[in-house]
Amino acid sequence: MNTLCLQLTKPMSPAEIDKKLNKNFFLPQKVQLRQEKLKAQLTGEKVKIKRQYTSQEIKVKNCPDIIMRLEVGLAVFPEKVLEQRDIYLYYEKAQIPQVEKITAELLKTLPLLLVEPQLNFRFGLENGSFSPLNMPCYKTGTMTGGIWAHMAWQVYFLNGIWLKYLANPKDKVLLRQLRIKLRRLRSCLSFFRPVFKLNACTKWQKKLRDQGLALGVLRELDVMLITIVRLDEATKNNEGGPKHLQEIFVKKRDNQLAKFIKNTNISQQTAVLTEFMLWLQSEQFQPEYVHKSFHKFIIHRFKIWSKKILNMMEGSPDFSDM
């Protein structure tokens, strides 16, 4: 069974969430108060996790086999408390088209982003101790488990950075981090490209590339402004050229940012990344890779990449010197 977890980007009570749900689509059930004590493996140590939360099943009309649950509360880890405001979806691969409709309907009225469903791994992602090699799906050795372990956490990070950046669009550090996270996800998808059916993979490579290009325009303008400031400082020229150019590019950058923000919001980005995650779960693999060992594929893929790099070094002295 597949799982998807969407977290509300701001605190809301179950009653407030209930009011925003489309009752022609969703049927919220009775809210239950729960307490749990769990044990989890974190950074090589077993720790205790205390949870106190409300749990509410939400039935979806015409989709009786899809389980949807809202959990709102706290998970207390050693030295850290995770706040939960999560909507969980449980479903089989054949139900992915219905899940796409459900998530689209949720995003119409609720501000959501994708997060790691398992709280111990979510804790690891937040405190820097997460490793995909520790995930149960990775340890299966299957192609599906390996790809999910290496790609899902990058999507969670990317969605989180989108939220931070859109809340502070003038923050140039966040812009840089966003572009890096996007580039890493694209590189990872490129690495696994032989596994996927070509048309679908090409579509996602293009979507992610287009996002990078839109952000790249802002970054290029930032670089131009930095260059102009340095030129002005080097020439000690407080009039004319550099100052005039700076005013032009500041205005151009502001206009470009305003245009970008007008056409971009967190629900839109979450929708795109949710669609991407559901595509990964649909396992649209080339037939020869369906039952192939993930680890054998990794070894084979690195051998190919290594040969390409060696060939580049032989054909280009500049590359070799680097």
Side-chain angles (χ1 to χ4, degrees):
M1 181 169 278
N2 294 300
T3 308
L4 202 68
C5 185
L6 292 157
Q7 184 182 72
L8 287 143
T9 61
K10 59 182 180 181
M12 293 177 72
S13 68
E16 290 172 319
I17 296 166
D18 187 294
K19 288 179 182 179
K20 288 186 173 292
L21 292 174
N22 181 354
K23 300 305 186 295
N24 294 321
F25 208 90
F26 302 110
L27 299 171
Q29 305 299 297
K30 185 179 178 181
V31 177
Q32 297 179 327
L33 181 63
R34 293 187 176 178
Q35 291 183 339
E36 290 179 351
K37 291 183 179 180
L38 307 171
K39 290 183 179 179
Q41 194 83 12
L42 295 174
T43 61
E45 297 181 8
K46 286 186 177 180
V47 300
K48 293 180 180 179
I49 306 168
K50 294 181 181 179
R51 294 185 64 203
Q52 182 168 325
Y53 63 102
T54 60
S55 177
Q56 182 181 24
E57 184 182 353
I58 301 173
K59 292 185 178 180
V60 184
K61 287 187 178 180
N62 303 319
C63 300
D65 296 327
I66 294 175
I67 299 170
M68 181 172 165
R69 190 172 66 245
L70 170 67
E71 294 185 4
V72 179
L74 300 173
V76 182
F77 288 77
E79 301 180 2
K80 189 174 180 69
V81 176
L82 286 183
E83 186 178 352
Q84 265 195 282
R85 38 184 188 271
D86 305 333
I87 297 173
Y88 287 88
L89 287 158
Y90 303 93
Y91 48 92
E92 301 296 341
K93 186 168 74 171
Q95 297 167 323
I96 285 175
Q98 290 100 313
V99 175
E100 288 179 346
K101 293 178 181 177
I102 291 168
T103 54
E105 193 63 37
L106 287 170
L107 286 164
K108 286 180 182 178
T109 56
L110 294 170
L112 300 165
L113 76 157
L114 290 157
V115 292
E116 165 60 48
Q118 295 188 55
L119 294 178
N120 57 322
F121 291 126
R122 193 188 305 179
F123 174 82
L125 284 167
E126 291 194 10
N127 76 353
S129 62
F130 172 80
S131 170
L133 276 63
N134 293 330
M135 297 191 73
C137 61
Y138 180 84
K139 293 177 181 178
T140 63
T142 62
M143 193 64 70
T144 301
I147 288 176
W148 184 261
H150 282 284
M151 296 200 73
W153 69 271
Q154 297 190 61
V155 174
Y156 303 141
F157 261 125
L158 179 59
N159 209 172
I161 290 291
W162 267 117
L163 178 66
K164 291 178 181 178
Y165 175 68
L166 292 172
N168 301 279
K170 292 187 177 181
D171 190 319
K172 295 175 183 178
V173 174
L174 286 175
L175 173 60
R176 181 174 176 275
Q177 289 178 351
L178 179 56
R179 294 182 70 233
I180 289 171
K181 296 291 187 294
L182 190 56
R183 193 160 56 241
R184 283 179 179 170
L185 183 61
R186 287 175 56 203
S187 297
C188 196
L189 180 58
S190 178
F191 183 85
F192 292 121
R193 178 176 175 145
V195 177
F196 296 105
K197 292 180 179 178
L198 186 59
N199 289 343
C201 190
T202 301
K203 166 194 156 186
W204 278 109
Q205 285 183 307
K206 184 180 183 305
K207 272 194 176 185
L208 296 173
R209 180 175 176 273
D210 289 345
Q211 285 191 334
L213 288 173
L215 295 168
V217 173
L218 293 170
R219 176 60 183 163
E220 286 171 6
L221 290 169
D222 286 339
V223 172
M224 179 60 74
L225 284 167
I226 291 169
T227 304
I228 291 169
V229 169
R230 287 176 178 171
L231 178 62
D232 186 45
E233 290 174 350
T235 58
K236 304 295 182 182
N237 182 12
N238 296 318
E239 299 177 358
K243 285 291 183 183
H244 179 61
L245 278 175
Q246 186 175 4
E247 290 171 4
I248 291 173
F249 278 98
V250 165
K251 186 176 180 180
K252 189 173 179 65
R253 210 273 186 191
D254 289 344
N255 290 340
Q256 185 66 34
L257 179 61
K259 181 182 176 182
F260 179 79
I261 295 301
K262 183 180 178 181
N263 299 317
T264 311
N265 58 64
I266 189 59
S267 292
Q268 179 191 74
Q269 297 306 321
T270 300
V272 170
L273 292 173
T274 299
E275 187 185 349
F276 178 73
M277 294 286 266
L278 293 172
W279 171 69
L280 288 179
Q281 290 179 340
S282 68
E283 301 175 15
Q284 295 183 32
F285 297 164
Q286 299 282 11
E288 63 268 30
Y289 288 101
V290 172
H291 301 295
K292 192 177 181 71
S293 161
F294 177 75
H295 300 102
K296 287 182 179 178
F297 167 78
I298 291 290
I299 292 168
H300 175 70
R301 191 75 168 125
F302 271 122
K303 282 182 178 178
I304 292 173
W305 275 27
S306 297
K307 287 179 181 177
K308 286 182 178 179
I309 291 171
L310 288 172
N311 289 336
M312 288 174 70
M313 291 175 70
E314 289 173 4
S316 174
D318 291 338
F319 186 89
S320 180
D321 290 342
M322 290 170 64

